[in-house]
């Protein structure tokens, strides 16, 4: 039974692994939606790809609409200028240049200035980088979303879609499931299998205890068995279990045996058989 449960656990794990791999492959084959949708004042629209940071909050499911402003200073390695204080109700998003300091410092400075999101762009490269943080204290302070874009994307955004040119952008969340979406079901399956194994082991232990009690003589039956006092010269003088020699006057209880030669004489452990005063040796 235990082996069967172990095989079941292994099979469930294998099935889940195959399912996860197939789902991941399926998601990768889906058409990638634009992460940044940019709109100019003359209704020009352009879509750009980005890579979300590994810190900060996620974008809302319906996206984040805002007006794009270039950071001053551009690298945002020190406190930057806040967004305009006018009557606009929309959020402001800051565009930051890469290098000179860590990503988390740039985003934290953007947050402190009052921006609702930050876009960091590459320099002399169109590669996308997953921005991370090595400073736990700084990372805990960041509660705005941020993402990384290429240099060509940043150039296009600056030319046609910034706030001073009448444009705005919409940051869309990635169509991808975080790691915990895959890990949690796996842990649930493993946990269920472990619980089943523990329940089986407890049940088997209880059944073995009941079986042992059923095969043991009852107290009233044990009292009916004849008692023999050991005397020197008897045919049996050594306990068959502990190999200890009997002493004069030891009480030996005679049990019926199904062997062909009739009776075997045993001395039973009284501590276990509820009869005080009987010697503990067995023949």
């Amino acid at each position: 039974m235990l082996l069967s449960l172990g095989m079941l656990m292994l099979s469930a794990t294998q099935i889940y692994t195959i399912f996860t791999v197939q789902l991941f492959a399926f998601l990768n084959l889906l058409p990638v939606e634009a992460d940044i949708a940019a709109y100019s004042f003359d209704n020009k629209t352009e879509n750009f790809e980005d890579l979300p940071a590994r810190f900060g909050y996620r974008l809302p499911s319906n996206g984040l609409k805002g007006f794009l402003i270039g950071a001053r200073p551009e690298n945002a390695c020190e406190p930057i200028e806040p967004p305009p204080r006018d009557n606009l109700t929309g959020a402001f998003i800051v565009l930051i240049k890469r290098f000179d300091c860590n990503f988390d410092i740039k985003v934290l400075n953007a947050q402190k200035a009052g921006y609702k999101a930050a876009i960091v762009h590459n320099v002399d490269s169109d590669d996308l980088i997953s921005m991370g943080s090595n400073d736990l204290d700084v990372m805990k302070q960041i509660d705005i979303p941020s993402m990384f874009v290429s240099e060509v994307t940043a150039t296009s955004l600056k030319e046609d879609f910034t706030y001073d040119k009448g444009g705005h952008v919409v940051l869309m969340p990635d169509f991808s499931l975080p790691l915990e979406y895959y890990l949690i079901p796996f842990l649930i399956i493993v946990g269920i299998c472990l619980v089943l194994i523990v329940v089986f082991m407890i049940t088997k232990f209880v059944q073995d205890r009941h079986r042992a009690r059923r095969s043991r003589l009852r107290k009233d039956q044990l009292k009916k068995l004849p008692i023999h006092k050991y005397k020197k010269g008897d045919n049996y003088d050594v306990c068959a279990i502990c190999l200890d020699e009997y002493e004069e006057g030891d009480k030996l209880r005679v049990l019926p045996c199904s062997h062909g030669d009739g009776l075997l004489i045993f001395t039973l452990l009284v501590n276990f058989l509820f009869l005080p005063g009987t010697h503990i040796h067995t023949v």
Side-chain angles (χ1 to χ4, degrees), residues 23-36 48-52 58-61 63 171-179 181-182:
L23 177 62
F24 184 75
F26 171 73
L27 292 177
N28 282 340
L29 291 176
L30 290 176
V32 179
E33 297 182 0
D35 296 320
I36 300 178
F48 306 96
E49 292 184 2
D50 65 19
L51 194 59
R58 298 180 184 277
L59 286 166
S61 58
L171 308 181
M172 301 299 297
D174 284 342
F175 183 69
S176 63
L177 298 178
L179 179 61
Y181 278 65
Y182 303 104

Side-chain angles (χ1 to χ4, degrees), residues 15-28 182:
I15 292 173
Y16 175 78
T17 302
I18 294 173
F19 173 77
T20 302
V21 171
Q22 294 296 330
L23 177 62
F24 184 75
F26 171 73
L27 292 177
N28 282 340
Y182 303 104

